Amino acid sequence: MGLSTHVGPHLKENAKNLASQWKEKLRGDTENSLESLGCLLFIAVYELLGTLHEDEIVMLLRRVSQHKQSLELCQTHGFADYIPDFIRKLIEKKPLMEAVRSICAFKLFDKLPPVPLLKEYVDDVMMCSEVICGSQMIPDEKDKALNGKIADLRAAIQCIKNYDLESEYPSKTVELQIIQLEMLKEKWRSLASTQS
């Protein structure tokens, strides 16, 4: 892209066909974020952004969103206009932690404040933990499910620290919730041992 070489109509048509085939191949492969990044960069280099549907761009952005370097590349290669829509779709579909990370990585704090989403994420984790507590799972399953929820809360703490959100949402609040869940786990273990 930095060389600004001229791409003739024949080459552009070939690039468009290749991009179409590449996107089709990626539909079935949800794991390969590096290939998705390659596809996005190819589209940017050949200036094919206008040939894509917004949903296709959002799908590709979502796949590369877990890598900070990928996000930076996307921001500087013509995808910046699509990023707020991409994040709104994440919020609608509820991977809130992914949305918060993307907001922070793209520095969209004024358009999409991350802290209310982070609080909603933590509240959802705690509500899910309450459901687990009231369920009829065997103690080992409850323990495993709660460990997952504790890991989710630790991810929230890491996000708070990584993106300097401590002043708006102190990580100690989330740490207290982890302590509550740890105490619940201990309570179940003692109950399970007395019942067996």
Side-chain angles (χ1 to χ4, degrees), residues 168-181:
E168 295 177 69
Y169 191 34
S171 60
K172 292 220 183 282
T173 306
V174 183
E175 287 169 7
L176 289 172
Q177 291 170 319
I178 290 174
I179 292 168
Q180 283 180 318
L181 291 181

Side-chain angles (χ1 to χ4, degrees), residues 13-166:
E13 190 59 36
N14 287 342
K16 189 175 173 182
N17 290 335
L18 179 59
S20 178
Q21 292 170 9
W22 200 347
K23 286 183 310 184
E24 202 54 45
K25 179 184 176 246
L26 286 173
R27 284 192 200 286
D29 182 7
T30 59
E31 300 297 315
N32 199 338
S33 60
L34 288 177
E35 188 164 357
S36 295
L37 177 62
C39 185
L40 277 172
L41 291 175
F42 179 83
I43 288 164
V45 166
Y46 284 96
E47 299 173 353
L48 300 172
L49 207 50
T51 66
L52 296 180
H53 296 290
E54 183 181 316
D55 288 344
E56 292 174 315
I57 296 169
V58 168
M59 182 258 310
L60 290 169
L61 283 171
R62 180 160 188 212
R63 289 192 181 163
V64 301
S65 67
Q66 62 220 357
H67 302 292
K68 187 177 180 183
Q69 295 86 355
S70 301
L71 292 175
E72 290 167 2
L73 282 170
C74 289
Q75 194 168 17
T76 58
H77 285 85
F79 296 97
D81 293 343
Y82 297 92
I83 291 167
D85 289 335
F86 153 68
I87 294 171
R88 284 185 193 96
K89 289 195 189 234
L90 287 178
I91 294 167
E92 286 171 20
K93 293 182 180 181
K94 285 292 192 179
L96 295 176
M97 183 59 68
E98 194 176 332
V100 169
R101 286 185 185 123
S102 297
I103 290 166
C104 295
F106 287 117
K107 297 174 179 45
L108 295 173
F109 304 103
D110 55 332
K111 290 183 182 177
L112 300 160
V115 172
L117 295 172
L118 194 53
K119 288 179 178 179
E120 183 181 342
Y121 174 80
V122 169
D123 289 345
D124 288 351
V125 169
M126 292 307 289
M127 280 194 315
C128 190
S129 299
E130 289 174 22
V131 170
I132 292 167
C133 292
S135 73
Q136 297 299 316
M137 295 173 155
I138 61 172
D140 286 345
E141 289 175 351
K142 278 188 182 184
D143 198 48
K144 186 176 179 182
L146 268 187
N147 284 338
K149 296 303 158 197
I150 290 169
D152 292 342
L153 292 175
R154 286 197 174 115
I157 290 171
Q158 194 60 49
C159 187
I160 290 168
K161 291 179 180 179
N162 288 349
Y163 296 110
D164 297 321
L165 301 173
E166 193 80 39

